[in-house]
Amino acid sequence: MIKIVFALFFVGCLGSSGQSVGQFYTTNSCTCDQLSYESDCTKMGPQCIWDGSSCSTQECNLITVASACAANLKCMWTTDPQGGSSCKTFTFCSQLTGATQVACLQVSANCPFTDGTKCGSSNQLHSCSHFTASQYCEGYISYDGICMWRDATGCSLASECAPLNLAECNSAKYGCKYSNNVCSQLLCSDYTTQQTCTFVMQTITKGEYQLCSWDSTAGKCSMAQNYGGLGQGNCYATTLGTARWVSTSAGGECLSCYAQTLFVFIIALFLIMI
């Protein structure tokens, strides 16, 4: 159970290719060069650099923070035979070592798989049904999402809130809520203040989110139909770095990035925790 509580923080690992109005997907994270404002560029951390007029990707060899290096899909954090560590241009996952999935993700967001020694890419991930023992199943990050173990049914995908216990439910932040001894889907209408009315996770196995909108007249939070309620100050942050503010003749608008950056959000969430 402890492993799945830990892993459910990473539920934004893979997202859908399409997007509906009012929704955003964490795999569509913005790249550095898509950000037009210094405030957004600096929020990306050391993997982006602002030169005074534009945002660009920092060269791997200039990144000195392991977390920023690992989160940059162009880079990987390596250790040389002498024990020194540095950020280098990414080549192959097989060049990296890690006994666990988390250990591999700590050196490259490209490499969520491990055979117990060497890291591997996402196409090497097992499905939940592959596992026949709880110690291998519980909390495993499969291509489809997080695996969970139940003695009666074996290893399966944690695809809904209902089967989750209290600890697991509380770990699926923005996706599930626990009330009256039952775990259920969190809805925009569950938020009771304007400050908390931001977004909800629609599917806990993938980084699919629904924006929420606050109705000041009614004093209620509901599903947002578009990005219209977001401005320059909160466009990037409220969409978890998947949209950016773009200047227009009318003043500007919040637009999706559609970068399709695999596993960036999963490593970002982990690095926030440590």
Side-chain angles (χ1 to χ4, degrees):
M1 189 272 288
I2 294 176
K3 286 179 64 179
I4 194 170
V5 169
F6 184 67
L8 277 170
F9 281 99
F10 307 144
V11 288
C13 57
L14 293 168
S16 302
S17 58
Q19 181 162 328
S20 301
V21 174
Q23 293 179 331
F24 62 92
Y25 301 91
T26 51
T27 50
N28 293 336
S29 297
C30 299
T31 57
C32 300
D33 58 358
Q34 289 176 311
L35 305 178
S36 303
Y37 291 88
E38 182 178 6
S39 58
D40 292 340
C41 183
T42 54
K43 288 175 185 175
M44 282 287 285
Q47 67 249 42
C48 294
I49 184 170
W50 183 261
D51 65 6
S53 60
S54 63
C55 187
S56 60
T57 303
Q58 180 72 278
E59 293 296 326
C60 295
N61 66 323
L62 298 179
I63 299 176
T64 58
V65 179
S67 58
C69 177
N72 190 325
L73 296 184
K74 297 180 180 179
C75 308
M76 61 183 183
W77 188 255
T78 63
T79 302
D80 58 43
Q82 289 72 41
S85 298
S86 62
C87 190
K88 296 181 179 179
T89 301
F90 177 78
T91 50
F92 302 102
C93 290
S94 58
Q95 291 185 315
L96 303 172
T97 59
T100 65
Q101 287 184 298
V102 171
C104 286
L105 286 168
Q106 284 182 302
V107 292
S108 175
N110 293 294
C111 310
F113 175 82
T114 179
D115 61 6
T117 302
K118 288 188 176 295
C119 300
S121 61
S122 60
N123 60 13
Q124 295 175 265
L125 291 171
H126 299 299
S127 63
C128 295
S129 59
H130 171 83
F131 300 103
T132 57
S134 61
Q135 64 265 36
Y136 303 115
C137 163
E138 191 79 358
Y140 181 83
I141 305 169
S142 74
Y143 190 84
D144 296 315
I146 307 303
C147 301
M148 67 177 185
W149 180 267
R150 295 294 184 266
D151 290 335
T153 57
C155 191
S156 60
L157 186 68
S159 58
E160 297 178 344
C161 298
L164 304 182
N165 59 36
L166 174 60
E168 295 167 351
C169 188
N170 289 338
S171 295
K173 190 178 182 182
Y174 300 116
C176 304
K177 61 182 179 181
Y178 198 84
S179 178
N180 298 320
N181 298 319
V182 175
C183 185
S184 59
Q185 181 73 42
L186 181 68
L187 306 173
C188 290
S189 57
D190 291 317
Y191 294 129
T192 57
T193 67
Q194 185 173 2
Q195 290 69 34
T196 57
C197 182
T198 52
F199 52 76
V200 294
M201 181 180 288
Q202 290 192 307
T203 309
I204 66 171
T205 56
K206 297 179 183 291
E208 301 173 354
Y209 287 80
Q210 170 65 49
L211 283 172
C212 301
S213 177
W214 182 256
D215 185 332
S216 298
T217 302
K220 294 181 179 180
C221 184
S222 59
M223 292 174 57
Q225 298 303 308
N226 51 52
Y227 287 5
L230 301 179
Q232 179 183 340
N234 64 354
C235 170
Y236 181 80
T238 302
T239 61
L240 297 176
T242 64
R244 80 285 192 200
W245 186 258
V246 177
S247 297
T248 64
S249 57
E253 61 180 323
C254 186
L255 297 176
S256 296
C257 287
Y258 294 107
Q260 293 296 315
T261 51
L262 181 65
F263 275 95
V264 166
F265 191 62
I266 193 173
I267 190 70
L269 283 179
F270 170 73
L271 295 166
I272 288 171
M273 294 171 56
I274 60 175

